[in-house]
Structures are given as C-alpha cells and as structure tokens.
Amino acid sequence: MAPLKSLEREYPIIDSEFQNFCASHGIFSVEDFLINDLYELAALAEQQPTLERLKEGITQVLGIIDNQHQPWLNGMDLLEDALRNKHFLSTGFEGGTEASKVMVAFINLDGNAVHYRFERLSNRDHDWTERQLVGPFVLTFGVRLDLLLQGGFRAGQLTELVGPSSSGKTQCTDEVFAETQFCLQTAANVAVKHMGRVVYLDTGNSFSPQRIAHFMELISDLHFKQAKHKILQKAMSNIVCHSVFDIFAMFDVLCQLECDLRSQMDRRDYLVQLLIVDSVSSLITPVLGGSGSQGINTWMYVTGFRKLDFVTGICHIASLLKKYMGTGRALMISAGFLLKKLAHEHNLAVVVTNHTVGGEGGASKPALGESWKSVPHVRLLVSRNRGSSSCSVSILKHPSMASGKATEFVISEF
Amino acid sequence: MAAEKGWIQGDESGKEMLSRVLTEWPPFLLLPPFHRLPLRVGNVVELVGPSLSAKTHILIQVAISCILPKEWNGVHYGGLGRLVMFLDLDCRFDISCLAQLLKLRIIQANGSSSKVHWDQKVGNLGTCHAKGNSSIAYDEELFALCLRRFLYVRCYDSFEFLATLKTLCFRLQKEREAYGISVHFLMIDSIGAFHWVDRACRPLPHEVNNRKSLSLQSVSETVVQEMRKLLLVHPMVVIATKATIIGDKNSTKEVKWKSRKLSTPDTSYSEDVKSNTQHVPYHEYMPSVWQSFVTHRIAVRPTGEHSTITQNKQVQLSVYLSQWLLPPLKFLDKFALLPDGSIILQQID
C-alpha cells in the first residue's frame, strides 16, 4: 500500500507536517494506519497546535481506507449478481441414455430426491420426470454428473477434484488420471457448447490437444463436415494452455490473467468462462512445510509418473524450498484466495485437481490437507472404477448439500 | 427534564432490570447449538470445528432468524426484525443458499400444506419473479425486505479486513439511519482465514524504532481493539466461526517443529486444547488477545453417523455433535439438519 508521501499530490491535506506528525508515531504508510489505533492518534493530535488540520488529515486517510475494502452489499445485490452472472457450466458427461431434453429443478434442497432419481435412472426407469423437474436449467437426460452438481460447475466458485494419482507400480506413462480426463472433457465441452474461453494451467504435461479434439468430435453433433470443422477450430483456439511447473509461475499466469480480464471487462468476445489448474497439489506440495525431503518425495510421488524432466525439476524445487521454508501454507492460502477472487469478480468457474497420496496405514489422503479444506467451495472425489472406463464421483463438500452423494459416469477411451 | 432525572437516578429492582433487558434484547437463541445459554449483546461467540461441521449453515440459520420480522401482515414469523452484518473472510458465501432457506422459512410460516405446492415453490426459487400468484407475490415483498437486511462484505486479506473494521462504525451508523433498525449480529466467517498468510509476515530488516510491523500478533490486536470499540457504540452479538485448520497429530507435530525452528512469537499459545471429556478436541491457534476477547466458545464436529427420520418419506440426516467449551458445560448435544435446512436437536442415547 501507498506510503503517505505519495498521497500528498492527490490529497493536499496530507502535507509534510501531517507526515511528520504521523512519522513521530511510527506511521509511514496507509498500511501502518490500519494496524494503529486511530482514536489514540486523534487524541494525540489534540495536543498539537495544528489539530484541526491533523484531524482533517486523519479523516482523509480514513476515506482512503474506505476504498481499500470490497464494496458493501446487501442480500438483494448479492442475489441479483448470482442470478445474472453466476451461471452453471455443464461438464458434458453423458450417461449413455438417450439425450431427450428435460427441465431440471434449479436447486433441490431435498438432496435425497436427487439420489433417489439416480437409482431409478440406473434401473432404466424414466418415469421420474413428473414432479420436481421444474426450473430454469435445460440439461440433457444423461448428464448425471450435472444433476449431481445441480447444474455443473458454477461460475464464481472454486471446485476441487480429489483423485488418486496412478499407483506407483505402473510404469505405464499412457495412463491418464481420471481427474485430468475430467478436466479435458469439461474444457472441450465449455469451448464447444458454451463458446467460452478456457484457460488451462498444466503442471505435468498432461494437457493433450488430441484428446480435447477427440472429445469435441464426440460432443458436437453437426452433420455438415465443413461447418463442424470450422466450429471445432474456433473451439480449439478458445482453449489456452500454460505450462507451469512451480507455484510462482502460477502466480505470474494468474496475475497476468487478472490484468487481462480487468482491462477487457467490457469486451464480450474475450469471455473466459473456465479456469483449470491441473494439478494444484503438485505446485503446492513442494513449498508446503514438513521436512524438506518429505516435500520433495511427495512432489516426486505426485508428478513422478508424468512426462517431466524431473532432475532439473528437483533442483529447482529444492532451491525454492530453502528460500520459502515455512511460508508454504501462506503461499497455498494466498493462491486459494487469488483463485476465489478471480472466480468471483470475473465470473469464472475455477476447477483445480488435488491428487491423493499415501497416508499413514495405507489409507490415501488428499495431498493438500486440513488447511486447504476450507479453501474450495465444492470438493468432489473422483475415482476410476477398476477394470472399466467408468468413473465415480462423490461429493465431499458442497455449499447447499450434505456430502456423501455419488454418481457414475463414463469417460470415453481414446 | 423528569425523564432525564429518572435516567440519572437509574435505580431499579432486579426484577425491573431483568424485564427491561429481556424485552430490549431477547437473549435466547433457541437454535441448537446455541440453546443452552442466553446470549446477549456484547457477547463474542466462537464456533469452532473442522471443515464440514455445518458452521456456515448455522450462521445462515441464525441470520435468517434475525432478519425475519416477528410478525408481518398477520403471519407470525418469530424473527428479531434486525439487521445482520456478515464479514466473509473465507470468500465462500453462497447467497442462493440463504435465499432458498429464507424462502422456505417464509413458506413454512405461511403454512402451505399441500406437498406438491411446496415442491413447486422450492423448484422456483431461482426465478420467483415469474409467478403471478398473489400469495407468492406477497411473499416476494417480505423476501426482498429480509434480504435487504442482510449486509455483506467480503475480505480477501487482512488489510481488507482491517480496512472494513476501521470503517464499520460509520457504516453501521449509516445503515441504522437508513433502515431505522440496528444490526444485531456481526458474523465473521471465518476468523482464522488469514492465519497462515499473516504468520508468514516477517518484520522488515531496517525497522524504525516505534513502527509497528505487520504480523499475526499486530493484526489480531488491532482486530480485537477495533471490535471492542465498535461494540461500545453498536451493541451487537458477535459470532465468529473458526475452522480447525490444524488437523491430525501429524500436522500438529509438524507445526510445533516449525514454530520452534523459526521461533515465531506464537509458540506460547500453540498448545493442544482438549476438553475434559475428550469428545471435541481442537487445536488452538489464534493469538491469546483474540482468545481472551471471546466470551463463549462452542465446538462442533460431524459425527459421521446418520439418522433416519420419516417426513412423508424416509430421509437420511447427517448428525453433528456440539459442546460448550466456554463456559465449560458437561452436556454434549447432537443436532441434525433437516432437508429444509432447519436444525433439530437429537437425544443422546
């Protein structure tokens, strides 16, 4: 924040005399004002000969402080913003049944009804459309995952996908994490169906344009080859991938993105709708405390089976570790707040992945632990069912639902 | 003149005082887990628990009870008819949750009986403007009135939080004048949100002697100082949630190791606080200046159990456990969230 000196030009009341008075009480910047007692300062000003001007100066700084926080809103303002800007982005996972369109209830508090419907659905029993299916969102019949999420990923929210990293035994590099597939398919869907821009932060070279193109082929149901080609080309150009290998690079990309979004806020053609970080845990675990070697080990475990030159990677990370030891959690929480700020202010849906690592007693747990839990709005557990291409998703956390609900979906193999 | 004199004299019997205080400030919040003790303005209540212990949900329910009027067009809603100020430090607040639960409460108070009717209304929450139905339109007015009583600001870091607190006094004054009613609850969700970030702040190397450096300690001190002053001018109940951001034994060890190594000033209060019954243990991490500011503390956690109730059909409910840590009460309470979002008490068996 600004030193008082720099404010002098804009606010003449903050003159050198006022600055000297503040300096004599250890206040040099607006930031210092925040952690000092202004009532005490005002009382001290009383004893000065020029108390009127000093008090005026304090009031002026208070006015500046008043602009440093987010705007005051009431419930109606918030609701209007939510209805106008915080839309759902469909994840595009078809369940395999016929794609007849139905209206699905907006938010159904009685979560059990949703669960009930899934069960009936899996029994190929479609007569459940009668009662509760009213509301504004058009979804396809088979989009079970969107149903589970009450409409898909929501703009303004940070959604976390927790999933297992591939087991240590397989040396097969072709195996792709279920969460990554999930991200790629969602990106394809948003680019094609919503015609929105997608920013994809790739930490382990897992971004695959071929896969995205494949998903797009599946999604778009156009029959004319030329039109299809054109649309796919446009959709592909809407997905921007950045390779980032450490948390600082991620901060760089995100800050740049924030800058771009802010300067192009009124231009409708540059409308980023989805931001994906795959995976955020491999960026954060190395800087997260614990013993240094443990951090590197976890990092190796998480990223080790990806196509990454990890000798240079380890050297790089080790040097960072030394520098930022102990501030890992601060970086993690700051990253979380930056993502949430981007999501809220620019109406993006943000999706991050968090790989599970082996915990004590053989049980696996998410690489980012207790402190991270309070960061995302929605947490989903993604796991690949053994011996099949289907995946199951269950809700660990959702703002308007009890956790523990689950659904299955199929990721098409390629 | 007589009135002023009477005010200065100010002698009253205990009974008179009690009845005056009770009518001015209804002290009981009947909502679990607050139902055990009376809460009055000036109290600072801390709701501590891990992620997924329904803390924000409890705040929302309390907020709804506060913004609803006691009576409106002859229908009894039983609310306080006051304002709520919600400081969102986690930046995860979802207005559609509150709007939906509020709507349900209004519908329930109006006693709509038919199930199908109810379902339709629930389904239409997002687009409630569409209906031309007179009873819903009338609900609409109350709904909007209540939502306007919910005041909200989000903070992305400690600076914004402090800037908000510093200017809150004027703001509350303005709102009080605009609405003609005062803020009854100041809610903070959650107070430890910036803990790790503030802890990582190191003093600048070339420090001027009397310049306060930004640290976890100085931020907490200022927060408490500002809130104390605020409560003198604007009597309110403060409810702050606190996430247990330090989890299992593993991470506890790790933190202790780290704080020794870096000799941060907060080692003194990083201790394991365990309740005597060991039912709801948690790890205290807030600086002592905040701890001494808190007058009531309730720990909540999910039990992992489910109970089933029959309400037209079978419904599974998650069960939570709550316990008063300050003042320490022997009771453990179990509560569950109904599908309509209301909180019910359960018998401990």
Side-chain angles (χ1 to χ4, degrees):
Chain A
M1 268 184 221
L4 292 181
K5 216 174 217 168
S6 68
L7 295 170
E8 191 175 350
R9 191 180 294 172
E10 202 178 336
Y11 307 98
I13 190 75
I14 306 176
D15 52 12
S16 58
E17 194 187 339
F18 181 74
Q19 287 170 34
N20 287 338
F21 167 72
C22 290
S24 66
H25 297 98
I27 297 172
F28 298 89
S29 67
V30 177
E31 197 176 280
D32 291 338
F33 259 96
L34 287 176
I35 52 170
N36 274 279
D37 188 350
L38 296 189
Y39 295 92
E40 209 174 275
L41 196 70
L44 287 167
E46 296 272 357
Q47 299 156 8
Q48 301 289 323
T50 53
L51 70 120
E52 284 307 319
R53 279 191 67 79
L54 291 182
K55 280 195 161 172
E56 225 173 290
I58 294 176
T59 315
Q60 181 58 62
V61 177
L62 261 178
I64 297 168
I65 288 175
D66 202 19
N67 291 324
Q68 304 274 356
H69 61 73
Q70 301 297 315
W72 304 90
L73 299 167
N74 69 39
M76 270 324 251
D77 304 333
L78 285 171
L79 191 64
E80 271 163 31
D81 173 60
L83 290 177
R84 192 179 319 127
N85 297 320
K86 306 293 186 272
H87 300 296
F88 288 95
L89 290 181
S90 159
T91 54
F93 287 98
E94 315 266 331
T97 48
E98 79 268 34
S100 62
K101 299 209 165 168
V102 291
M103 307 286 271
V104 173
F106 171 38
I107 292 176
N108 191 339
L109 244 194
D110 185 358
N112 286 61
V114 176
H115 191 60
Y116 175 67
R117 265 186 258 143
F118 288 140
E119 285 171 359
R120 304 275 297 265
L121 194 70
S122 57
N123 292 340
R124 304 200 179 280
D125 183 357
H126 301 312
D127 68 357
W128 47 269
T129 46
E130 353 103 41
R131 278 191 303 128
Q132 301 179 341
L133 301 180
V134 283
F137 289 96
V138 179
L139 295 173
T140 50
F141 218 75
V143 185
R144 295 189 216 173
L145 186 64
D146 288 344
L147 206 58
L148 182 77
L149 296 176
Q150 303 178 340
F153 295 137
R154 185 144 176 221
Q157 292 195 338
L158 174 59
T159 305
E160 176 193 349
L161 306 175
V162 180
S165 45
S166 59
S167 87
K169 287 169 222 147
T170 34
Q171 286 293 329
C172 170
T173 46
D174 282 344
E175 191 177 332
V176 180
F177 301 132
E179 316 88 78
T180 299
Q181 290 241 19
F182 198 112
C183 288
L184 292 174
Q185 190 160 340
T186 308
N189 195 56
V190 168
V192 172
K193 289 247 176 85
H194 296 265
M195 297 307 267
R197 282 188 174 241
V198 179
V199 176
Y200 198 108
L201 269 60
D202 181 17
T203 69
N205 290 348
S206 58
F207 180 82
S208 152
Q210 290 87 359
R211 237 167 231 281
I212 292 218
H214 171 67
F215 286 135
M216 283 179 175
E217 289 271 343
L218 291 179
I219 296 163
S220 58
D221 44 5
L222 287 173
H223 300 296
F224 303 106
K225 229 178 181 176
Q226 286 225 299
K228 191 170 172 176
H229 185 68
K230 223 172 177 181
I231 284 179
L232 290 191
Q233 217 162 25
K234 175 131 195 344
M236 281 303 271
S237 68
N238 270 344
I239 301 176
V240 183
C241 176
H242 298 272
S243 287
V244 288
F245 296 114
D246 63 65
I247 191 167
F248 306 100
M250 176 174 81
F251 275 120
D252 277 351
V253 173
L254 292 182
C255 290
Q256 187 58 47
L257 177 66
E258 193 182 12
C259 249
D260 293 350
L261 287 171
R262 197 172 287 159
S263 61
Q264 294 169 339
M265 216 128 119
D266 38 341
R267 276 179 51 199
R268 303 297 290 177
D269 56 323
Y270 188 84
L271 211 60
V272 178
Q273 296 195 356
L274 180 66
L275 169 65
I276 294 174
V277 185
D278 179 32
S279 73
V280 81
S281 58
S282 60
L283 296 180
I284 292 174
T285 9
V287 292
L288 214 51
S291 61
S293 63
Q294 193 189 332
I296 291 178
N297 284 342
T298 326
W299 176 77
M300 276 177 66
Y301 190 78
V302 168
T303 57
F305 298 98
R306 301 194 173 189
K307 303 159 201 157
L308 179 75
D309 176 13
F310 57 84
V311 177
T312 49
I314 287 173
C315 293
H316 184 50
I317 295 296
S319 69
L320 286 175
L321 263 177
K322 254 188 216 151
K323 222 161 139 190
Y324 291 95
M325 198 65 179
T327 57
R329 282 195 176 82
L331 288 171
M332 172 173 80
I333 299 297
S334 306
F337 274 110
L338 182 54
L339 288 170
K340 281 191 276 191
K341 192 174 185 178
L342 278 171
H344 177 78
E345 291 186 353
H346 303 287
N347 305 314
L348 314 180
V350 179
V351 177
V352 302
T353 60
N354 180 6
H355 294 303
T356 50
V357 290
E360 265 173 42
S364 64
K365 55 172 191 182
L368 305 179
E370 203 64 31
S371 318
W372 174 262
K373 269 189 192 166
S374 61
V375 173
H377 293 82
V378 180
R379 308 187 82 204
L380 303 174
L381 182 69
V382 185
S383 53
R384 193 182 277 272
N385 297 338
R386 233 166 246 185
S388 77
S389 65
S390 69
C391 289
S392 12
V393 171
S394 55
I395 294 181
L396 297 175
K397 176 181 181 175
H398 194 284
S400 61
M401 268 191 283
S403 58
K405 293 197 191 62
T407 186
E408 288 197 358
F409 62 93
V410 178
I411 285 179
S412 67
E413 287 301 322
F414 170 57
Chain B
M1 196 58 195
E4 281 91 339
K5 256 201 180 136
W7 186 80
I8 292 168
Q9 300 257 310
D11 289 339
E12 55 187 350
S13 69
K15 190 180 171 191
E16 279 166 355
M17 183 186 165
L18 189 65
S19 69
R20 177 174 59 82
V21 169
L22 286 183
T23 44
E24 266 175 47
W25 307 106
F28 278 94
L29 260 174
L30 293 172
L31 227 82
F34 297 108
H35 62 287
R36 289 279 181 194
L37 286 178
L39 292 178
R40 281 192 281 113
V41 290
N43 288 156
V44 180
V45 188
E46 192 182 77
L47 201 58
V48 53
S51 174
L52 292 178
S53 52
K55 298 188 294 293
T56 307
H57 188 91
I58 293 168
L59 283 191
I60 289 177
Q61 284 295 354
V62 173
I64 289 174
S65 307
C66 183
I67 55 181
L68 274 173
K70 187 162 191 196
E71 234 176 48
W72 175 263
N73 287 356
V75 181
H76 180 80
Y77 293 96
L80 293 176
R82 305 289 269 279
L83 304 176
V84 169
M85 173 60 79
F86 193 102
L87 304 183
D88 188 12
L89 271 52
D90 268 345
C91 301
R92 275 190 291 120
F93 179 76
D94 185 3
I95 189 65
S96 37
C97 286
L98 183 129
Q100 192 178 3
L101 293 169
L102 174 64
K103 198 103 186 177
L104 278 169
R105 282 274 275 275
I106 294 175
I107 292 167
Q108 276 171 357
N110 280 300
S112 80
S113 49
S114 127
K115 178 80 176 72
V116 177
H117 199 51
W118 188 82
D119 277 342
Q120 263 177 4
K121 280 182 178 174
V122 178
N124 279 335
L125 288 180
T127 51
C128 35
H129 319 282
K131 285 262 168 175
N133 192 318
S134 68
S135 84
I136 291 179
Y138 137 80
D139 278 348
E140 225 21 63
E141 193 190 337
L142 176 64
F143 177 72
L145 176 85
C146 289
L147 270 188
R148 280 197 196 94
R149 288 178 177 166
F150 182 82
L151 311 173
Y152 172 93
V153 67
R154 58 168 56 209
C155 308
Y156 291 110
D157 55 42
S158 279
F159 289 130
E160 293 190 0
F161 183 37
L162 287 176
T164 307
L165 283 178
K166 292 252 176 203
T167 49
L168 194 57
C169 199
F170 302 104
R171 187 70 200 185
L172 291 180
Q173 188 64 39
K174 252 172 83 182
E175 300 292 348
R176 185 150 71 182
E177 279 156 17
Y179 289 87
I181 43 176
S182 59
V183 171
H184 190 63
F185 285 105
L186 175 65
M187 299 180 169
I188 301 174
D189 186 26
S190 65
I191 190 68
F194 311 125
H195 176 83
W196 293 115
V197 179
D198 291 342
R199 234 173 89 151
C201 285
R202 310 266 170 79
L204 301 164
H206 44 83
E207 202 61 71
V208 188
N209 281 341
N210 60 349
R211 186 176 183 181
K212 263 194 196 175
S213 67
L214 186 84
S215 65
L216 183 61
Q217 191 66 27
S218 64
V219 167
S220 300
E221 274 168 13
T222 317
V223 166
V224 170
Q225 200 178 56
E226 290 296 328
M227 284 176 66
R228 274 191 209 282
K229 291 208 173 96
L230 197 64
L231 289 179
L232 288 179
V233 188
H234 300 276
M236 301 178 281
V237 181
V238 179
I239 304 182
T241 64
K242 185 172 78 178
T244 46
I245 52 175
I246 301 168
D248 47 39
K249 276 183 215 144
N250 258 345
S251 51
T252 311
K253 248 187 254 153
E254 188 181 300
V255 165
K256 277 190 176 154
W257 174 82
K258 247 171 48 188
S259 42
R260 201 171 53 236
K261 186 101 176 170
L262 297 171
S263 69
T264 45
D266 53 313
T267 28
S268 52
Y269 50 77
S270 103
E271 67 209 279
D272 255 325
V273 181
K274 287 229 162 89
S275 57
N276 38 6
T277 47
Q278 299 251 330
H279 272 289
V280 190
Y282 79 102
H283 183 94
E284 182 60 72
Y285 59 89
M286 288 298 286
S288 54
V289 60
W290 170 262
Q291 288 182 49
S292 57
F293 180 54
V294 170
T295 60
H296 297 69
R297 182 175 292 123
I298 308 170
V300 284
R301 70 174 172 87
T303 57
E305 296 166 27
H306 292 272
S307 75
T308 315
I309 59 157
T310 310
Q311 216 188 34
N312 297 325
K313 57 177 184 261
Q314 293 252 313
V315 186
Q316 284 262 314
L317 304 174
S318 307
V319 181
Y320 301 87
L321 204 62
S322 73
Q323 184 185 24
W324 283 79
L325 301 178
L326 185 73
L329 299 183
K330 281 182 190 152
F331 314 103
L332 276 173
D333 288 315
K334 267 187 184 175
F335 63 94
L337 309 184
L338 289 182
D340 64 2
S342 54
I343 304 171
I344 54 156
L345 259 188
Q346 297 217 318
Q347 294 298 322
I348 296 261
D349 25 60

